[in-house]
Amino acid sequence: MLKDECGVRHFYRYCDDGVVLAGTKRELWEIRAIVHRQMEGIGLRVKASERVFPVTEGIDFLGYVIRPDYIRLRKRIKKKAAAKLNEVKSRKRRREIIASLYGMAKHADCNNMFHQLTGKEMKSFKDLKIAYKPEDGKKRFPGAVVSIRELVNLPIVVKDYETGIHTEQGEDRCIVSIEQNGEPKKFFTNSEEMKNILAQISELPDGFPFETTIRTETFGKGRTKYVFS
């Protein structure tokens, strides 16, 4: 009703918790009056803790205190986590509490708080620099497979490659990982020339990634090959 009929742009709700943001107190008081009328019409009451206030005081919503320039965990959540970590004896249970706290703290500006309570540094998956290692030892590249014909005369970035790939077209194919307009892609090739060039580049200290354009060359009796340029 607030969105569709009253045109309230910044209304956020989760279950029975709601927040409305507006440019002036007057707007908020008008919206508050609408909410109260609607609640009274269905025999309900807005909880007594509702209020109109500036966002600089911090919006207490869904376990966080949100201010214009930073977000903190609600003090009650921090105290409960600290008490549990102080009391718990089981290592397994301690890991569970830390994981639960991390699930909340990672959405706020709480790196120092998390370290003080747990003794651990908050890390993202990217910080760990761990990648899947297949049993066959072959690399796995992201992105859709495209035909090399689709890449002719277009600038690309070659990021990596892998040889010895079995495909429906034959054995010992080479898959090349590329980026085109910021999008990861990959293509297969059986070109001995391309394989040789990629192998030489891989021996250079800073060979990958490199920019290139794939072009076609005619050789023999009207045959076509693809080359890096």
Side-chain angles (χ1 to χ4, degrees):
M1 188 263 183
L2 287 179
K3 290 275 192 181
D4 297 338
E5 297 180 25
C6 303
V8 176
R9 185 175 180 184
H10 301 295
F11 168 52
Y12 307 98
R13 184 179 69 84
Y14 182 80
C15 297
D16 66 341
D17 236 347
V19 170
V20 177
L21 302 177
T24 66
K25 283 188 176 182
R26 180 176 179 177
E27 292 176 78
L28 290 170
W29 281 109
E30 289 173 353
I31 294 167
R32 177 187 179 276
I34 293 170
V35 171
H36 276 260
R37 283 199 302 270
Q38 291 296 314
M39 293 298 98
E40 290 167 4
I42 56 176
L44 295 177
R45 285 195 312 243
V46 178
K47 59 185 180 182
S49 59
E50 57 111 11
R51 64 193 184 105
V52 174
F53 61 95
V55 294
T56 51
E57 290 186 20
I59 301 170
D60 191 338
F61 189 56
L62 303 182
Y64 299 94
V65 178
I66 305 162
R67 289 185 170 84
D69 52 348
Y70 65 91
I71 301 173
R72 294 283 190 265
L73 274 181
R74 185 182 287 161
K75 187 178 290 187
R76 184 167 68 249
I77 292 176
K78 291 185 285 188
K79 286 185 174 181
K80 280 187 177 180
K84 287 179 180 178
L85 289 170
N86 189 49
E87 296 169 0
V88 71
K89 305 297 181 184
S90 164
R91 265 196 281 181
K92 179 182 177 182
R93 180 60 184 144
R94 182 178 178 82
R95 285 197 300 267
E96 291 173 349
I97 295 169
I98 290 174
S100 177
L101 178 63
Y102 175 72
M104 291 286 291
K106 68 179 181 179
H107 298 295
D109 303 297
C110 294
N111 286 3
N112 290 335
M113 179 276 295
F114 184 79
H115 178 64
Q116 289 175 359
L117 291 184
T118 67
K120 298 180 180 293
E121 296 290 344
M122 192 184 299
K123 297 178 181 178
S124 69
F125 179 72
K126 289 181 180 179
D127 294 333
L128 298 175
K129 296 181 179 179
I130 294 175
Y132 168 55
K133 294 182 179 180
E135 291 185 6
D136 60 9
K138 299 293 184 184
K139 298 173 184 175
R140 302 293 194 270
F141 300 130
V145 176
V146 296
S147 168
I148 194 171
R149 289 191 295 272
E150 299 175 36
L151 303 171
V152 173
N153 297 328
L154 297 175
I156 61 172
V157 176
V158 177
K159 305 185 75 174
D160 202 352
Y161 78 106
E162 181 68 274
T163 57
I165 306 298
H166 170 72
T167 70
E168 294 179 357
Q169 286 71 39
E171 301 283 347
D172 197 27
R173 302 281 167 159
C174 174
I175 186 168
V176 184
S177 172
I178 67 167
E179 190 174 280
Q180 183 186 29
N181 296 326
E183 183 181 353
K185 296 181 180 179
K186 51 197 173 189
F187 69 88
F188 288 97
T189 179
N190 198 35
S191 165
E192 291 301 325
E193 182 175 330
M194 278 192 165
K195 291 179 187 177
N196 182 275
I197 289 173
L198 289 168
Q200 290 183 63
I201 291 172
S202 68
E203 294 177 1
L204 300 175
D206 299 311
F208 291 102
F210 65 90
E211 297 179 348
T212 185
T213 300
I214 295 176
R215 305 206 184 276
T216 57
E217 290 184 1
T218 303
F219 70 100
K221 296 181 180 180
R223 299 174 65 189
T224 300
K225 67 177 180 178
Y226 299 95
V227 297
F228 296 123
S229 64

